[in-house]
Amino acid sequence: DAKTTQPPSMDCAEGRAANLPCNHSTISGNEYVYWYRQIHSQGPQYIIHGLKNNETNEMASLIITEDRKSSTLILPHATLRDTAVYYCIVRAWGSGGSNYKLTFGKGTLLTVNP
Amino acid sequence: EAGVTQFPSHSVIEKGQTVTLRCDPISGHDNLYWYRRVMGKEIKFLLHFVKESKQDESGMPNNRFLAERTGGTYSTLKVQPAELEDSGVYFCASSSIGGANEAFFGQGTRLTVV
């Protein structure tokens, strides 16, 4: 799986948009970009994933650059409960055992301030 | 719909003892994964089941760890004998069959070996 690079920490004011960047310059054509987060002492929580088109769901939006070498997770109106470590992970799509595992890095600690 | 459930939530055992962790995946999910985070480290993949078959066990640290998934439903992870370095949080996740389907994580079992 391609390696990702994320800033170690970010701050955001409550109610503002949080934009979390991720670089994945060695991503392959069959690799998706996934975002998970881990709120303190809980299990990782799936947020969103995408291949090359921008994606939006009830939690967030994912913007992937045209060359797919980087992406941005957007939380449109951050709340205090969004304080967590956010992980950007690239994972190959398709059948085969090793394609399913997620490789977690250090992630970005997002702190939402009142 | 019930999420991924793990038992126990906490376990404190003495070095040399045996501990068995249990994971109940989301109903209908054929993929089941075990991950763990040891103190100060990143979340690491341990193994992956497809139904009752081990698809990828490349992350299992040594032969003191035994994972089973009899009948393709719930899974157990046994550590025997436990060592101090086994302390950490063990996460289970499940997903449906399909290349890009996201994995849903349980709340984890915090294991402390003293």
Side-chain angles (χ1 to χ4, degrees):
Chain A
D1 290 342
K3 188 177 174 68
T4 63
T5 304
Q6 298 178 253
S9 63
M10 294 183 66
D11 286 304
C12 177
E14 187 178 19
R16 304 296 293 270
N19 297 278
L20 292 93
C22 178
N23 286 320
H24 31 80
S25 58
T26 59
I27 193 169
S28 299
N30 68 338
E31 288 181 318
Y32 280 72
V33 180
Y34 287 77
W35 283 85
Y36 282 78
R37 71 180 182 183
Q38 187 175 26
I39 296 170
H40 181 62
S41 77
Q42 296 183 20
Q45 178 188 22
Y46 166 81
I47 301 173
I48 198 167
H49 74 274
L51 183 62
K52 54 182 178 180
N53 297 321
N54 297 339
E55 302 288 344
T56 295
N57 62 20
E58 64 279 5
M59 289 183 67
S61 294
L62 175 60
I63 308 298
I64 303 174
T65 57
E66 192 170 341
D67 63 7
R68 302 208 322 124
K69 293 180 185 289
S70 65
S71 60
T72 301
L73 178 74
I74 301 172
L75 306 179
H77 305 286
T79 71
L80 299 179
R81 288 181 296 178
D82 292 322
T83 293
V85 178
Y86 287 76
Y87 297 97
C88 170
I89 300 169
V90 294
R91 196 198 79 178
W93 175 87
S95 61
S98 63
N99 286 343
Y100 282 81
K101 65 183 177 185
L102 298 168
T103 301
F104 289 84
K106 292 181 169 52
T108 296
L109 172 60
L110 174 70
T111 302
V112 181
N113 300 304
Chain B
E1 178 183 294
V4 177
T5 309
Q6 294 187 244
F7 303 97
S9 56
H10 294 84
S11 180
V12 180
I13 62 171
E14 293 184 352
K15 176 182 172 183
Q17 288 187 322
T18 297
V19 63
T20 301
L21 313 181
R22 172 171 169 145
C23 169
D24 285 78
I26 292 172
S27 178
H29 280 188
D30 288 334
N31 291 306
L32 186 149
Y33 318 83
W34 284 97
Y35 290 80
R36 77 171 179 178
R37 164 178 267 155
V38 296
M39 182 71 74
K41 302 288 188 179
E42 297 157 17
I43 299 172
K44 295 291 188 184
F45 166 83
L46 295 179
L47 87 160
H48 167 212
F49 284 99
V50 176
K51 297 184 181 179
E52 68 276 7
S53 300
K54 292 176 185 174
Q55 190 74 23
D56 178 359
E57 50 185 329
S58 61
M60 294 289 265
N62 52 60
N63 60 9
R64 296 185 294 103
F65 289 75
L66 175 64
E68 296 181 320
R69 193 183 182 195
T70 307
T73 55
Y74 71 91
S75 175
T76 58
L77 179 64
K78 180 189 290 187
V79 185
Q80 178 183 28
E83 298 290 344
L84 299 178
E85 63 263 25
D86 300 332
S87 296
V89 183
Y90 290 76
F91 295 105
C92 176
S94 70
S95 70
S96 56
I97 290 291
N101 287 337
E102 63 273 24
F104 296 91
F105 283 76
Q107 294 301 297
T109 294
R110 180 173 295 278
L111 174 65
T112 303
V113 183
V114 297

